[in-house]
């Protein structure tokens, strides 16, 4: 998508074997590119959320494997790189999906052939992600267009966290349908959940919607229920970091609360996802998905701009008070109206997913 | 309650006709007392949330009337003071309750007698608030004690915003049962919702629980549903700024989302209130209660401590992105397990409230 009129992806290789990414910890305050040269650079970029968003985490990990193979293409290095990268974030399943795909592609090759093949495979994963997200956008935009035909007015979409192009290689998942609808001339307005504690909504989603010219309003995470009670939300669209075979959805903490409010108020709750977020091995998301606990300072401290434009981090919690930071929650499938995938839209059921992905779901 | 071993109320008169309050906009970073000398000082203190919390707003407004009567005890000044103070905050009903009580007491008197009577009446409102809150604490603590007898373990209570002693003259409403249970030796732990956008949980509730020695953990507002899904919340207790005659509850924005999660997960959802928050004139809270919209800068900017201990305000939202700031929402009565009042505990129904308050509810 475009920033100041220039098209960007979130990650791209350099000609000298490294990879560059947009440093998302500095957005929306600064647009800066970070160069990743070593496996450890890549692992740190994922765990510190320089890059984040399930699809982009997978793509970045794939490039981490390529960088590792350039330094040492041995079997031992291949396994070590897979293991190191897999430990960076525990919840998103795309990470494992991308790492397993890279290892399966590289392990049978002679070590001398691995570096080049790894770069090719990582590039393929990125290109496929772009195509998949654009297809999600095409399918999802029909839901927005349909609502617009019903009401004749602006379609108000509530989203949580950032499942936009910054969470993927391009287009996004939850925001792709919004970009497609907007570009097609359908009037759409987005309620952007701030998304505490890391504020990905207020910083990243607001930033990218603003850069693309999509009408939006930032709200506290507490507000969505009130808006839905008063008929001011036409639909919710969110992303997912892991989706079970029956359609339970693990996404950024707080998603579950919005799904409950949508269900209570008759508001459709759609989840947009590439097939790589589906974990076919599990059924019950609440019981089976490990929920990452992150450092409490993400909640107790907040970074922003001072009046002079410089950045500062302030402590906002009462001194000495403990804090806990759970990063994800699980929305049970019965609260999800539909799953929007690159192959089309289906109900959030085992049958629905199996119908779209018969090879895996059958 | 105590701060550093010293008992405080949140508001007290001075010997020279003014009133002093704890400046809650500076907590938890600084403990500072603010002196209010004029009607306008009092009105500003309420609208800028130097004092906040429905019961304390009422008590402060009562002192504002007393200060106004000292300057000018005429009928015109009485009406003007009532009108000026009523415009400070639109949602809480205690404000009108306290102002109407003051005017009813003062209007029949000769102007020369009003200043002294006003001080006496404002002091009575404060003393009654303390007694009412302590009674709420006694009744509500039985719910915590009962749960402790069932499980034998620590009782985990989730609360939203600040309905502690800082929201009242002393004791609090939602936190009064927790203080009573804690003081009686019942092990209790409080999940403290941060409560965006003004962070009354992270700043005020965490501060006062910590000062009193009550175990607690600050969490993002997004977390409560996840905790309830996993059995880590025994009950919710929140306050209310306005309660309808059938038991709909208008409280800090986001309360409704927690009530939905509690209902979905079989967690009792209790609301603590003095009778002065009951608006007997209305039935349907969602339709009838005006929801205050506050300045968007409360969401877009955040004040906290820099590493050197000084305070700074940083901007946290993407530049140019609009923001909206709804301050309250309404939780329908069917999501409320019980109302905890100074007269006892009742179901959140018209019959329940009428049973406890037959003179008003009948």
């Amino acid at each position: 998508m475009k920033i100041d009129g220039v098209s960007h992806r979130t990650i791209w290789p350099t000609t000298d074997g490294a990879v560059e990414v947009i440093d998302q910890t500095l957005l929306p305050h600064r647009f800066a590119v970070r160069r990743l040269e070593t496996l450890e650079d890549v692992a740190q970029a994922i765990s510190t959320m320089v890059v984040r968003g399930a699809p982009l985490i997978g793509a970045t990990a794939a490039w981490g494997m390529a960088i590792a193979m350039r330094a040492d293409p041995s079997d031992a290095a291949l396994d070590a790189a897979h293991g190191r990268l897999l430990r960076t974030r525990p919840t998103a399943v795309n990470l494992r999906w991308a790492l397993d795909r890279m290892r399966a592609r590289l392990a049978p090759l002679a070590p001398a052939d691995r570096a080049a093949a790894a770069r090719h495979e990582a590039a393929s994963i990125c290109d496929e992600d772009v195509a998949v997200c654009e297809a999600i956008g095409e399918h999802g935009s029909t839901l927005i267009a349909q609502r617009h035909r019903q009401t004749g007015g602006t379609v108000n979409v509530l989203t949580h966290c950032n499942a936009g192009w910054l969470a993927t290689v391009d287009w996004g998942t939850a925001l792709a349908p919004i970009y497609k609808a907007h570009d097609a001339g359908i009037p759409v307005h987005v309620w952007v959940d701030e998304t505490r504690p890391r504020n990905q909504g207020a910083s990243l989603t607001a930033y990218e919607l603003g850069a693309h010219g999509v009408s939006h309003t930032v709200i506290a995470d507490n507000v969505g229920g009130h808006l839905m009670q008063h008929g001011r939300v036409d639909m919710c669209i969110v992303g997912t970091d892991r989706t079970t075979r029956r359609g339970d959805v693990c996404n950024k903490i707080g998603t579950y609360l919005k799904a409950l409010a949508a269900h209570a108020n008759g508001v459709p709750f759609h989840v947009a996802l590439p097939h790589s977020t589906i974990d076919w091995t599990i059924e019950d998301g609440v019981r089976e998905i490990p929920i990452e606990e992150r450092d409490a300072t993400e909640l107790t401290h907040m970074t922003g701009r001072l009046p002079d434009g410089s950045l500062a981090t302030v402590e906002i919690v009462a001194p000495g008070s403990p804090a806990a930071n759970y990063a994800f929650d699980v929305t049970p499938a019965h609260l999800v109206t539909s799953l929007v995938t690159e192959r089309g839209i289906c109900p959030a059921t085992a049958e629905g997913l199996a119908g779209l992905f018969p090879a895996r779901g059958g």
Side-chain angles (χ1 to χ4, degrees), chain A:
Chain A
M1 308 303 285
K2 291 188 176 180
I3 300 174
D4 294 335
V6 179
S7 285
H8 284 82
R9 284 186 174 187
T10 52
I11 186 167
W12 57 92
T14 67
T15 52
D16 60 352
V19 65
E20 290 183 341
V21 297
I22 299 170
D23 185 347
Q24 301 194 23
T25 64
L26 298 179
L27 289 175
H29 313 298
R30 287 185 196 147
F31 178 84
V33 170
R34 167 113 44 136
R35 179 179 164 92
L36 309 175
E37 298 188 348
T38 67
L39 171 63
E40 195 56 27
D41 286 349
V42 173
Q44 288 290 330
I46 296 172
S47 59
T48 62
M49 299 177 64
V50 167
V51 293
R52 25 64 57 201
L56 179 56
I57 288 170
T60 307
W63 278 110
M65 294 287 279
I67 285 172
M69 289 301 93
R70 189 161 179 269
D72 176 357
S74 68
D75 286 358
L78 182 61
D79 285 344
H82 185 283
R84 175 69 188 93
L85 291 163
L86 192 60
R87 287 194 304 276
T88 51
R89 299 287 303 274
T91 299
V93 75
N94 307 53
L95 177 63
R96 177 181 285 280
W97 169 87
L99 291 170
D100 287 353
R101 172 168 161 176
M102 291 295 288
R103 186 163 64 180
R105 172 79 182 89
L106 301 175
L109 302 181
D113 297 333
R114 285 176 178 165
R119 286 178 67 82
H120 187 269
E121 194 70 9
S124 294
I125 285 175
C126 289
D127 290 343
E128 290 168 25
D129 184 68
V130 176
V132 159
C133 287
E134 187 168 3
I136 290 170
E138 293 287 358
H139 293 300
S141 68
T142 63
L143 298 168
I144 298 172
Q146 185 178 33
R147 181 65 180 166
H148 174 62
R149 283 195 301 273
Q150 286 170 355
T151 67
T154 297
V155 180
N156 287 288
V157 181
L158 184 143
T159 194
H160 190 70
C161 198
N162 175 261
W165 75 267
L166 290 168
T168 63
V169 178
D170 206 348
W171 282 104
T173 55
L175 297 194
I178 292 165
Y179 288 126
K180 284 286 181 187
H182 173 85
D183 291 353
I186 299 167
V188 57
H189 166 264
V190 185
W191 295 108
V192 178
D193 273 1
E194 177 185 32
T195 317
R196 291 283 293 146
R198 285 189 65 108
N199 298 30
Q200 293 97 331
S203 52
L204 304 178
T205 297
Y207 172 83
E208 66 169 83
L209 289 174
H212 198 78
V214 179
S215 169
H216 64 285
T217 306
V218 178
I219 50 175
D221 300 310
N222 286 322
V223 175
H226 169 70
L227 294 175
M228 292 189 229
Q229 252 180 349
H230 289 268
R232 300 185 61 188
V233 179
D234 290 292
M235 66 183 67
C236 302
I237 311 180
V238 301
T240 166
D241 289 74
R242 196 188 297 205
T243 311
T244 74
R245 61 186 292 126
R246 75 176 182 199
D248 291 351
V249 167
C250 182
N251 191 47
K252 183 58 53 190
I253 191 80
T255 302
Y256 170 52
L257 293 169
K258 295 302 143 60
L260 286 167
H263 191 257
N265 292 285
V267 174
F269 191 88
H270 303 298
V271 180
L273 62 139
H275 71 278
S276 53
T277 70
I278 304 169
D279 185 344
W280 297 103
T281 69
I282 61 175
E283 182 95 3
D284 181 337
V286 174
R287 287 171 181 243
E288 298 181 71
I289 298 178
I291 300 298
E292 178 178 8
E293 288 188 55
R294 296 183 58 85
D295 196 280
T297 55
E298 294 187 348
L299 182 64
T300 59
H301 291 67
M302 179 88 77
T303 298
R305 294 182 303 283
L306 290 168
D308 68 3
S310 65
L311 297 187
T313 299
V314 294
E315 189 176 359
I316 55 174
V317 169
S321 284
N325 182 9
Y326 301 92
F328 299 92
D329 63 22
V330 172
T331 299
H334 73 90
L335 299 176
V336 177
T337 308
S338 68
L339 301 174
V340 182
T341 80
E342 71 270 30
R343 293 201 187 168
I345 299 172
C346 72
T349 61
E351 298 69 30
L353 280 171
L356 289 182
F357 301 96
R360 297 304 302 273

